[in-house]
Amino acid sequence: MNFTYLKTVDLFGNIVSTEDTDVVSVIVRDDSTYQYIEDLKGKTYSTIDTRNQYVDQTLDNIKEENNEDINLKYYSGVEKLVNALYDENVDCIVINE
């Protein structure tokens, strides 16, 4: 091993975070007119049927922000979820990336 490699490994060891992060996205079709969460008021949301606390929290936040109950459909896998979006059975996908 050379000195540069060891210094680089040492540098990244000092700055890389060990904290886990979760990113929850609300995904719409490219050809939709939706730009903001408010645009989805009254629309149909979808997610994977396995419970995820971060998705649940995001949906609760959307309910509060839009002051509405969300029409939510659950799908048993990502392929079915995406197909529902492209087949226009739902207006958006909420997923923990």
Side-chain angles (χ1 to χ4, degrees), residues 21-69:
T21 57
D22 286 272
V23 175
V24 176
S25 295
V26 178
I27 301 167
V28 298
R29 289 173 45 115
D30 282 341
D31 61 353
S32 77
T33 59
Y34 311 126
Q35 294 184 13
Y36 305 99
I37 294 296
E38 296 82 21
D39 297 337
L40 292 168
K41 189 170 185 170
K43 302 301 180 187
T44 303
Y45 289 72
S46 63
T47 192
I48 295 179
D49 61 4
T50 56
R51 299 306 295 237
N52 179 283
Q53 73 180 40
Y54 301 106
V55 169
D56 291 345
Q57 182 179 1
T58 300
L59 290 168
D60 288 342
N61 290 342
I62 292 170
K63 286 178 192 179
E64 187 175 317
E65 286 180 27
N66 280 354
N67 193 29
E68 69 169 332
D69 287 330

Side-chain angles (χ1 to χ4, degrees), residues 76-91:
S76 61
V78 173
E79 184 177 350
K80 289 180 181 181
L81 188 67
V82 171
N83 285 339
L85 181 65
Y86 280 105
D87 292 342
E88 298 182 8
N89 295 323
V90 299
D91 298 292

Side-chain angles (χ1 to χ4, degrees), residues 3 12 14 16 20 35 70 89 91:
F3 179 74
F12 282 113
N14 290 331
V16 174
D20 289 335
Q35 294 184 13
I70 290 178
N89 295 323
D91 298 292

